[in-house]
Amino acid sequence: PGKLAAQLNIDIKEAKDLQKKYFDTFPKIKKLMDNLVKEMKDTKIARSPLDGRFIDFSGLDWDNGGLVAHAMNQTKNLPFQGAGASTTKKALILIDKEIKARKLDAKIVNCVHDKSLLCLNPINCWKLLLGYEYLNGDNLINRDNQQLL
């Protein structure tokens, strides 16, 4: 609740009340997080049930309460952050396959968190995102010979 209080500029009691309301509204999320923390304490490994990602805590100083609390927070966040990362990775793989399949003059340049940078000419952008195949004069034509521009 301390981090939540600081981020929302509220006191700790209000933050605790917000957390309680949230988990009262979504009890399955609370149960999932509790189960993930229990498994992490038992096995010393935090796992994301969504995508198989894991964090190995076997080298953690279990006598250091601050480190243990941080590990518990990481364990609770892992499924949600990991799913976002896995979704982004899957999207980039699909985009790369599409670029190669259509032989577009394009490439993935960089990706940081959920931001991706692609380098391509504007016509290829339309082709890639909208499924349009070729430029006929000033007209962009799709696979069914329908004109877009």
Side-chain angles (χ1 to χ4, degrees):
K3 186 175 180 180
L4 179 63
Q7 288 178 334
L8 297 179
N9 198 24
I10 59 177
D11 63 44
I12 297 287
K13 183 185 178 321
E14 286 178 281
K16 284 181 179 180
D17 289 344
L18 275 175
Q19 280 185 333
K20 183 179 179 333
K21 286 178 187 175
Y22 177 83
F23 289 124
D24 286 348
T25 304
F26 302 104
K28 289 182 181 179
I29 292 176
K30 173 73 168 138
K31 184 177 180 178
L32 170 68
M33 290 180 164
D34 290 345
N35 288 341
L36 291 170
V37 168
K38 181 186 179 319
E39 180 184 339
M40 181 271 292
K41 286 181 175 180
D42 291 345
T43 65
K44 308 301 186 241
I45 295 175
R47 293 194 186 280
S48 172
L50 301 174
D51 58 9
R53 290 174 183 263
F54 68 93
I55 302 171
D56 184 350
F57 290 113
S58 61
L60 184 72
D61 177 1
W62 290 90
D63 294 325
N64 184 326
L67 291 178
V68 172
H70 183 65
M72 290 169 58
N73 284 336
Q74 285 181 287
T75 299
K76 293 173 188 177
N77 288 330
L78 182 62
F80 306 101
Q81 292 172 340
S86 291
T87 301
T88 300
K89 187 190 314 184
K90 178 70 173 174
L92 289 170
I93 290 168
L94 293 173
I95 289 168
D96 189 58
K97 284 181 180 178
E98 198 67 18
I99 287 170
K100 289 175 182 168
R102 295 185 190 202
K103 297 181 176 136
L104 299 176
D105 178 20
K107 62 183 174 180
I108 298 170
V109 176
N110 197 4
C111 180
V112 177
H113 301 295
D114 62 345
K115 309 293 186 278
S116 302
L117 177 64
L118 282 73
C119 181
L120 61 161
N121 72 42
I123 295 302
N124 282 338
C125 184
W126 285 102
K127 287 175 166 181
L128 181 62
L129 297 176
L130 301 177
Y132 284 79
E133 294 297 322
Y134 64 95
L135 189 64
N136 180 4
D138 291 330
N139 302 315
L140 196 57
I141 309 296
N142 75 1
R143 293 178 202 141
D144 299 322
N145 210 29
Q146 296 170 322
Q147 181 176 325
L148 174 65
L149 298 173

